[in-house]
């Protein structure tokens, strides 16, 4: 199913889908939406990308971060070295050609990590109330407001956990299926 | 007392670590622990001997009455001293027996764990903690029997012991809870003061369950078969668990509960009958065996039966006799087991027909064996003699049960005398040329513990007033609850009837010994009986159970998704239809008929689309087409949700449909070409199942709408979700806030299911993966 039109369109649309899915996640508390639906939308966007471009491409584009590193030269302070390190990674395209292959590191975000992170966040959102000596999963609402979000309470954190988990599960299954 | 138990648990789990640190010297701390516990327990002696008791309580779940309560009176202290004192010797002996075994640390872990559990068991005052310790002894016994885990018989025996004693443990828990309900208290010392329980409704069920637990633990007929098989364990374990302590747990509990449960006829006759049968059967079986450990195991069963019989007699004299015999038995039987282990260790065989006259090569062991043998046979200056005298006195006391009790005691006593001669005399002192050679003389750690124990049997017999009377006196008092009861042990009673009976027993025993070789020749002829014995029945039962469950699983979990779905759907519909058929609720269909008039055109169009799609689906032969049509049906359903005002559900439905289609498409090219392999009739079968399910669901929906339950929940959620949970979308607020814990559970299940699916996908049987 590799057509240029589809793959180009999908490549452009996927970030848009992601923004939309986060929007759905955030509005869930007051309007139709929520973590489950948002996670499904986000996952479907990546699944379409997998259909159009293959799963290697999806994983490489959206779930892998390349980090370039240089050994610290003598005569350069640690601060300077790390500043250089950060700059190098932000302006990566210009300097990538000059670097050795050995000095590249890949940070890959696997769907299983998404699942684990989601479950972790959802559980943590419940334990916050334990610290305040209230029963498990008593929702906490901070006083301040953030312009778009409203008051970010622990239910939102819980929803975020559901979102990540659902996305991780679907991606894991689809990637495994596509691999064979 | 909590410190004793805690120290035991902590040290036991440190044992493997200590082994790594200290190597073979790990035995030093492991021997010191029971010794320290013994000394610590001795510090309670003055208080308990003065007729008082010690009580300690640590509240845990007080609303359920599950607390850690300890109670130390005469009986508990007697048992605790026996366990810790014996434990010290066994720990030392285990080092001599296992020597450089690579898993010595683990062995000490299990053994110490067992000792602690057993101490906890006898000191527990709360029935739940009693049960926990009880099961812990079963589990540690399982681990110890299976210590030689590379041996298949070891594993089978361990499993058998766990199943039998664990099953009995469950029955015991039921019985104890009934006891607690009936007496309105879960503290043993409170329960025991209550006298009227015998006439309570719950008495009989509680009694039966508790007896089941005690009989399985104490290897009473017909549950005795696990004990001889448990001899697969290393000999220190057999000496400690399966002769001196663990098997006496049932006896302990029976004795402890006898003031509460005893006195009824059911109690008396059950105990008399079961104990009597066990004692006689164990004695007769012991005569037929030629393996020293098996002989000792069967005499242990016989002795346990005798103890149960004595509890069943329910007189004060019988209880006293029971206690003295219990102590004497623990002393001599432990010694003999250790002797058997030492002989096994140095000659490599346990067959009595190959062992003669070993006395010269292993003198200390031989002396220990002789001392124990004399006590077992019931000769004059030994504790065994006093025990037997008391047993006879108790047996002859009650004319109604005289014959049965006397016969049991007499048969068991004669066989004990015979076995004692065999083990204490023939093994070591008889002269014969065809004996197995002694490969190496046993070390000090192998002969010191039995020698000490054997000497203890003599010392207790020589000075009973001094050593045994005080504690046994208080123990007897705490069993009967009678504080004026006097227990005085003396060695010499004068020339009485009982003394004559004792002598007769000895004579019969010697006669039996004379004809023992002939009995051994007869033994194989009796094998046919054992095919229907409890042991074989057990194995057949287990095999049958495994077989039938395998068949059942094969039938239920056949690997066809369609039959899983059909089973679930049919079960559900069947249950719903059964309930409606039984209750015959009214459903006014006429009301709904009038609603049909309001149907809009677009609803009819979607409806027609769906029905047409479904009919097409049933006749199509292309997978892609069926998937697309299924998607069409799903999207139409989502449209319905939108039309009837459920945007959340509709959104979820749309997304799930999309994903289903995508996943199907991903899988599509891997499937073989679409062909009908099965009969056409199958198709109609599944159509029929679907129609039934659809009809049931429609009926349930119509019905629930007509009989809506007025509930304040809807209003409550409507208000609280905005005021308290700060959200206007009730569905979502319920999901993430009100029922957040449910959602947390669901997403956990989802994650686990996803991992399972990935695991299944990765198996890939075609490429040589595991199926």
């Amino acid at each position: 199913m590799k057509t240029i039109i589809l793959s180009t369109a999908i490549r452009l649309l996927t970030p848009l889908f992601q923004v939309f899915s986060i929007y759905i996640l955030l509005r869930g508390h007051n309007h139709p939406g929520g973590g489950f639906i948002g996670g499904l939308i986000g996952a479907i966007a990546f699944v379409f990308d997998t259909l159009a471009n293959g799963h290697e491409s999806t994983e490489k584009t959206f779930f892998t971060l390349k980090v370039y590193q240089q050994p610290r030269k003598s005569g350069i302070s640690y601060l300077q070295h790390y500043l250089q390190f950060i700059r190098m990674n932000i302006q990566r395209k210009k300097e990538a050609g000059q670097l050795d292959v050995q000095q590249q590191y890949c940070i890959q975000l696997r769907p299983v990590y998404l699942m684990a992170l989601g479950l972790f966040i959802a559980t943590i959102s419940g334990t916050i109330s334990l610290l305040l000596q209230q029963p498990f999963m008593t929702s906490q609402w901070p006083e301040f407001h953030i312009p778009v979000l409203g008051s970010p309470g622990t239910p939102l954190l819980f929803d975020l956990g559901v979102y990540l988990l659902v996305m991780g599960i679907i991606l894991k299954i689809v990637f495994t299926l596509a691999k064979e | 007392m909590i410190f004793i138990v805690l120290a035991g648990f902590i040290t036991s789990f440190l044992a493997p670590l200590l082994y790594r640190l200290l190597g073979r010297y790990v035995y030093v701390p492991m021997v010191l622990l029971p010794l320290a516990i013994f000394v610590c327990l001795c510090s309670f002696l003055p208080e308990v001997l003065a007729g008082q008791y010690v009580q300690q309580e640590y509240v845990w779940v007080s609303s359920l009455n599950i607390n850690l309560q300890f109670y130390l009176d005469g009986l508990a202290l007697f048992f605790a001293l026996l366990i810790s004192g014996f434990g010290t010797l066994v720990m030392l002996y285990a080092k001599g027996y296992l020597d450089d075994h690579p898993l010595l640390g683990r062995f000490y872990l299990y053994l110490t764990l067992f000792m602690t559990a057993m101490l906890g068991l006898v000191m527990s005052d709360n029935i739940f903690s009693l049960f926990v310790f009880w099961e812990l002894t079963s589990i540690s016994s399982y681990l110890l029997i299976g210590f030689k885990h590379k041996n298949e018989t070891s594993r089978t025996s361990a499993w058998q012991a766990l199943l039998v004693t664990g099953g009995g443990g469950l029955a015991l828990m039921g019985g104890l809870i009934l006891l607690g309900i009936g007496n309105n208290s879960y503290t043993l010392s409170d329960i025991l003061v209550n006298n009227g329980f015998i006439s309570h409704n719950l008495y009989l069920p509680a009694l039966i369950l508790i007896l089941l637990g005690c009989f399985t633990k104490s290897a009473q007929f017909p549950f005795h078969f696990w004990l001889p098989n448990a001899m697969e364990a290393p000999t220190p374990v057999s000496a400690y668990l399966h002769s001196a302590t663990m098997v006496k747990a049932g006896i302990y509990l029976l004795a402890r509960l006898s003031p509460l449960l005893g006195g009824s006829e059911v109690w008396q006759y059950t105990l008399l009958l079961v104990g009597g049968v066990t004692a006689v059967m164990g004695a007769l079986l012991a005569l037929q065996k030629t393996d020293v450990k098996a002989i000792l195991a069967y005499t242990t069963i016989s002795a346990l039966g005798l103890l149960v019989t004595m509890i069943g007699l329910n007189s004060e004299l019988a209880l006293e006799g029971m206690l003295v015999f219990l102590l004497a038995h623990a002393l001599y039987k432990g010694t003999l087991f250790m002797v058997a282990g030492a002989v096994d260790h140095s000659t490599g065989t346990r067959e009595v027909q190959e062992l003669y006259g070993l006395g010269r090569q292993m003198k200390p062991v031989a002396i220990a064996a002789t001392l124990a043998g004399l006590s077992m046979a019931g000769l004059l200056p030994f504790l065994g003699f006093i025990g037997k005298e008391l047993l006879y006195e108790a047996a002859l006391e009650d004319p109604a049960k005289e014959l049965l009790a006397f016969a049991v005691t007499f048969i068991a006593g004669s066989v004990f005398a015979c076995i004692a001669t065999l083990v204490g005399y023939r093994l070591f002192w008889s002269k014969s040329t065809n004996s197995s050679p002694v490969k190496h003389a046993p070390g000090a750690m192998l002969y010191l513990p039995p020698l000490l124990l054997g000497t203890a049997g003599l010392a207790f017999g020589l000075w009973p007033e001094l050593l045994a009377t005080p504690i046994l006196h208080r123990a007897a008092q705490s069993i009967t609850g009678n504080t004026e009861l006097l227990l005085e042990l003396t060695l010499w009673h004068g020339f009485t009837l009982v003394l004559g009976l004792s002598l007769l027993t000895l004579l019969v025993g010697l006669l039996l010994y004379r004809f023992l070789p002939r009995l051994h020749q007869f033994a194989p002829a009796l094998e046919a009986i054992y095919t229907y014995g409890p042991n074989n029945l057990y194995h057949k039962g287990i095999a049958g159970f495994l077989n039938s469950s395998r068949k059942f699983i094969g039938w239920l979990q056949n690997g066809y998704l369609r039959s899983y779905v059909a089973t679930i759907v049919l079960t559900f519909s069947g249950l719903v239809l059964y309930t409606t058929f039984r209750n015959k609720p009214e459903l006014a269909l006429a009301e709904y008929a009038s609603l049909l008039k309001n149907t809009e055109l677009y609803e009819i169009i979607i409806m027609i689309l769906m029905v047409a799609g479904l009919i097409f689906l049933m006749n199509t032969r292309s997978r892609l087409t069926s998937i697309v049509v299924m998607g069409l049906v799903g999207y139409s359903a989502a449209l319905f949700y939108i039309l009837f005002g459920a945007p959340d559900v509709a959104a979820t439905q749309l997304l799930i449909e999309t994903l289903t289609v995508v996943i199907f498409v991903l899988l599509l090219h891997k499937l073989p070409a679409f062909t009908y392999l099965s009969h056409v009739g199958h198709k109609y079968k599944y159509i029929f199942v679907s129609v039934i399910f659809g009809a049931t669901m429609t009926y349930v929906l119509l019905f629930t709408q007509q009989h809506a339950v007025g509930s304040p929940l809807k209003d409550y959620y409507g208000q609280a979700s905005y005021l308290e949970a700060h959200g206007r979308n009730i569905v979502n607020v319920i999901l993430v806030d009100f029922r957040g814990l449910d959602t947390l559970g669901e997403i956990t299940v989802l994650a686990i299911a996803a991992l399972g699916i990935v695991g299944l996908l990765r198996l890939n049987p075609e490429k040589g993966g595991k199926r």
Side-chain angles (χ1 to χ4, degrees):
Chain A
M1 264 216 289
K2 282 199 176 174
T3 66
I4 291 183
I5 297 174
L6 183 68
S7 69
T8 316
I10 289 290
R11 179 117 315 168
L12 288 175
L13 284 176
T14 307
L16 209 65
F17 268 135
Q18 294 312 320
V19 173
F20 182 65
S21 80
I22 291 172
Y23 165 70
I24 289 284
L25 159 74
L26 294 179
R27 82 198 283 262
H29 216 58
N30 292 320
H31 307 282
F36 191 75
I37 298 177
L40 283 178
I41 292 176
I44 285 173
F46 289 127
V47 170
F48 278 147
D49 193 82
T50 309
L51 278 182
N53 300 317
H55 72 98
E56 285 107 351
S57 160
T58 313
E59 282 181 62
K60 215 169 129 191
T61 319
F62 296 107
F63 295 100
T64 316
L65 187 68
K66 264 195 192 138
V67 178
Y68 303 104
Q69 203 183 1
Q70 266 184 338
R72 189 170 68 94
K73 288 168 196 151
S74 57
I76 294 178
S77 72
Y78 274 100
L79 185 70
Q80 215 174 350
H81 172 69
Y82 283 117
L83 281 175
Q84 210 174 30
F85 170 72
I86 291 168
R87 202 189 66 213
M88 185 163 60
N89 280 299
I90 291 172
Q91 321 170 322
R92 45 181 52 199
K93 285 207 173 134
K94 287 176 196 165
E95 291 180 30
Q98 304 163 9
L99 291 163
D100 284 345
V101 185
Q102 287 179 340
Q103 286 162 342
Q104 290 181 10
Y105 295 88
C106 281
I107 298 177
Q108 200 175 11
L109 184 65
R110 297 206 177 133
V112 177
Y113 300 160
L114 272 183
M115 280 163 63
L117 186 69
L119 208 54
F120 181 73
I121 290 178
T123 317
I124 283 296
S125 79
T127 47
I128 289 173
S129 60
L130 281 183
L131 297 178
L132 303 170
Q133 305 206 326
Q134 278 168 330
F136 183 61
M137 295 202 87
T138 312
S139 54
Q140 306 296 328
W141 298 94
E143 292 295 320
F144 57 91
H145 281 254
I146 297 173
V148 187
L149 292 181
S151 177
T154 51
L156 191 67
L157 205 60
F158 186 82
D159 235 8
L160 180 68
V162 177
Y163 173 87
L164 290 175
L165 182 104
V166 168
M167 197 144 118
I169 288 172
I170 291 168
L171 289 182
K172 179 77 202 167
I173 293 174
V174 168
F175 284 172
T176 319
L177 279 176
K179 218 170 270 181
E180 287 175 5
Chain B
M1 280 171 273
I2 188 145
F3 293 111
I4 294 176
V5 174
L6 267 184
F9 281 133
I10 291 170
T11 320
S12 68
F13 284 102
L14 281 180
L17 203 69
L18 287 173
Y19 181 61
R20 212 169 284 172
L21 283 178
L22 303 173
R24 49 205 302 243
Y25 295 101
V26 64
Y27 74 92
V28 179
M30 300 326 274
V31 171
L32 286 179
L33 172 81
L35 193 65
I37 291 177
F38 186 78
V39 172
C40 179
L41 284 168
C42 282
S43 71
F44 290 110
L45 262 178
E47 211 170 337
V48 173
L49 289 187
Q52 275 152 351
Y53 54 84
V54 191
Q55 215 166 1
Q56 281 174 12
E57 187 179 16
Y58 302 91
V59 176
W60 188 42
V61 191
S62 58
S63 57
L64 292 174
N65 290 306
I66 301 177
N67 301 321
L68 197 57
Q69 288 168 310
F70 292 117
Y71 179 76
L72 203 61
D73 62 352
L75 185 65
L77 187 60
F78 167 60
F79 269 91
L81 284 174
L82 189 68
I83 293 159
S84 55
F86 210 112
T88 315
L89 295 177
V90 164
M91 297 284 174
L92 196 65
Y93 180 78
K95 167 72 182 81
Y97 189 80
L98 288 173
D99 207 24
D100 284 336
H101 198 286
L103 293 178
L104 192 63
R106 193 188 291 180
F107 184 76
Y108 273 124
L109 191 169
Y110 298 157
L111 206 59
T112 315
L113 186 68
F114 163 75
M115 186 190 71
T116 318
M118 193 69 201
L119 282 171
L121 166 65
V122 296
M123 295 193 301
S124 281
D125 197 15
N126 185 284
I127 58 178
F128 294 110
S129 57
L130 177 92
F131 171 75
V132 169
F133 285 124
W134 178 284
E135 289 296 56
L136 210 52
T137 59
S138 290
I139 292 166
S140 48
S141 152
Y142 161 75
L143 292 170
L144 283 166
I145 298 171
F147 183 66
K148 295 178 211 153
H149 55 89
K150 286 181 185 151
N151 230 337
E152 200 194 332
T153 43
S154 278
R155 295 199 303 268
T156 323
S157 306
W159 183 228
Q160 186 184 45
L162 183 69
L163 277 187
V164 174
T165 55
L170 287 185
L172 177 82
M173 180 164 85
L176 286 176
I177 289 175
L178 287 184
L179 203 68
I181 294 171
N183 291 292
N184 223 350
S185 165
Y186 291 86
T187 308
L188 267 181
S189 49
D190 286 350
I191 293 175
L192 290 176
V193 200
N194 191 349
N195 282 325
F197 187 60
I198 288 188
S199 49
H200 197 281
N201 275 341
L202 289 176
Y203 173 72
L204 201 61
L207 177 70
I208 291 171
L209 289 173
I210 289 176
L211 286 186
L212 262 180
C214 292
F215 286 170
T216 47
K217 194 80 162 179
S218 286
Q220 296 297 301
F221 181 82
F223 307 111
H224 62 277
F225 54 88
W226 70 266
L227 188 57
N229 291 338
M231 293 301 142
E232 283 295 325
T235 307
V237 178
S238 310
Y240 193 35
L241 271 71
H242 305 126
S243 80
T245 52
M246 188 184 90
V247 288
K248 304 243 164 76
I251 308 289
Y252 163 78
L253 198 64
L254 286 178
R256 176 62 92 197
L257 294 177
S258 67
L260 185 75
L261 299 174
S264 72
E265 296 210 325
V266 191
W267 163 272
Q268 282 187 15
Y269 284 103
T270 315
L271 288 192
L272 274 180
L273 215 65
V274 172
V277 169
T278 312
V280 173
M281 180 210 62
L284 294 182
L285 281 171
L287 288 179
Q288 299 166 15
K289 299 290 163 187
T290 53
D291 180 337
V292 181
K293 267 180 94 175
I295 294 174
L296 293 176
Y298 279 108
T299 50
T300 307
I301 292 178
S302 176
L304 291 169
L306 210 52
L307 291 171
V308 170
T309 316
M310 287 300 135
I311 298 175
L313 281 175
N314 211 29
S315 68
E316 287 172 352
L317 197 61
L319 287 173
E320 288 169 10
M322 190 276 291
L323 280 174
V324 179
F325 180 62
L326 192 149
L327 178 62
H329 175 258
L331 290 177
Y332 71 67
K333 193 55 69 64
T335 315
L336 287 180
F337 264 115
M338 288 183 185
V339 165
V343 168
D344 186 15
H345 198 261
S346 36
T347 63
T349 179
R350 298 198 305 245
E351 287 295 313
V352 280
Q353 275 144 348
E354 296 169 19
L355 297 165
Y356 292 97
L358 302 169
R360 264 161 299 138
Q361 283 116 318
M362 37 171 88
K363 213 153 228 164
V365 178
I367 292 169
T370 313
L371 287 173
L374 290 174
S375 184
M376 183 177 180
L379 250 65
L380 194 52
F382 289 89
L383 189 61
F385 173 75
I386 307 177
K388 195 187 290 172
E389 296 269 290
L390 273 171
L391 292 189
Y392 274 127
E393 275 182 38
L396 296 176
E397 184 191 35
D398 187 348
K401 303 160 207 148
E402 190 182 271
L403 201 63
L404 179 69
F406 171 71
V408 169
T409 322
F410 185 74
I411 294 174
S414 321
V415 173
F416 287 174
C418 163
I419 300 298
T421 326
L422 175 72
V423 183
Y425 170 74
R426 194 174 88 178
L427 240 52
F428 294 100
W429 307 115
S430 77
K431 294 210 167 60
S432 175
T433 44
N434 55 353
S435 175
S436 282
V438 176
K439 288 175 195 144
H440 56 94
M445 280 182 203
L446 275 180
Y447 67 70
L448 266 183
L451 203 58
L452 265 171
L453 270 182
T455 324
L458 178 63
F460 274 98
L462 283 177
W463 302 285
E465 318 77 4
L466 209 66
L467 295 170
T469 307
I471 181 76
L472 287 179
H473 171 60
R474 292 296 171 196
Q477 281 186 357
S478 43
I479 296 180
T480 54
N482 177 2
T483 45
E484 281 155 34
L485 176 72
L486 277 180
L487 172 75
E488 280 178 5
L489 299 178
T490 45
L491 193 55
W492 183 247
H493 287 257
F495 292 99
T496 52
L497 173 68
V498 172
L499 185 69
L501 286 174
S502 253
L503 286 177
L504 190 66
T505 316
L506 267 181
L507 272 180
V508 174
L510 286 175
L511 218 60
L512 275 176
Y513 171 69
R514 173 77 184 72
F515 291 105
L516 202 57
R518 204 162 293 175
L519 281 173
H520 285 166
Q521 279 173 3
F522 271 121
L526 294 170
E527 287 290 321
I529 301 174
Y530 304 136
T531 15
Y532 300 102
N535 192 24
N536 277 331
L537 286 184
Y538 164 85
H539 284 301
K540 275 184 192 138
I542 291 285
F545 176 71
L546 288 180
N547 221 352
S548 54
S549 59
R550 199 173 297 135
K551 274 183 189 150
F552 179 69
I553 296 292
W555 171 75
L556 192 68
Q557 306 275 339
N558 49 15
Y560 294 112
L561 192 60
R562 54 175 176 273
S563 67
Y564 293 167
V565 174
T567 311
I568 294 169
V569 159
L570 277 182
T571 314
F572 173 78
S573 314
L575 286 174
V576 169
L577 289 179
Y578 170 70
T579 325
T580 41
F581 177 74
R582 200 187 51 188
N583 296 337
K584 295 190 181 61
E586 284 177 25
L587 181 62
L589 281 175
E591 282 181 32
Y592 286 109
S594 63
L595 279 179
L596 283 178
K597 278 186 284 183
N598 304 338
T599 323
E600 300 283 339
L601 182 65
Y602 53 82
E603 287 169 16
I604 296 176
I605 292 175
I606 299 174
M607 186 78 186
I608 291 174
L609 210 61
M610 280 172 86
V611 173
L614 282 172
I615 292 173
F616 180 71
L617 181 68
M618 276 179 240
N619 292 310
T620 182
R621 295 204 159 210
S622 149
R623 280 212 180 85
L624 193 64
T625 322
S626 18
I627 290 164
V628 171
V629 173
M630 283 290 283
L632 174 78
V633 175
Y635 285 133
S636 313
L639 268 181
F640 268 116
Y641 292 139
I642 294 175
L643 291 178
F644 288 95
D648 273 308
V649 187
T652 315
Q653 170 83 10
L654 277 174
L655 293 168
I656 293 287
E657 282 303 333
T658 313
L659 265 178
T660 316
V661 171
V662 167
I663 289 179
F664 263 126
V665 168
L666 275 176
L667 281 173
L668 202 61
H669 63 277
K670 287 186 190 121
L671 296 172
F674 194 78
T675 42
Y676 263 127
L677 291 175
S678 49
H679 192 256
V680 190
H682 282 280
K683 194 165 86 175
Y684 292 103
K685 196 172 82 183
Y686 290 115
I687 291 174
F688 174 71
V689 171
S690 328
V691 168
I692 286 210
F693 185 56
T696 315
M697 284 312 291
T698 314
Y699 176 80
V700 169
L701 264 179
L702 291 179
F703 180 74
T704 42
Q705 227 174 24
Q706 208 162 71
H707 297 261
V709 183
S711 149
L713 221 55
K714 212 160 90 185
D715 294 331
Y716 169 75
Y717 278 140
Q719 284 175 3
S721 77
Y722 188 66
L723 296 177
E724 290 172 35
H726 311 284
R728 283 196 297 275
N729 180 359
I730 302 179
V731 177
N732 199 54
V733 170
I734 290 178
L735 280 178
V736 299
D737 201 341
F738 292 126
R739 309 304 300 263
L741 196 62
D742 292 358
T743 314
L744 186 64
E746 279 158 19
I747 59 175
T748 313
V749 170
L750 211 58
I752 294 168
L755 292 179
I757 292 170
V758 170
L760 279 177
L761 288 174
R762 285 248 178 102
L763 277 182
N764 205 1
E766 278 166 22
K767 286 181 191 160
K770 246 201 299 187
R771 228 199 134 80

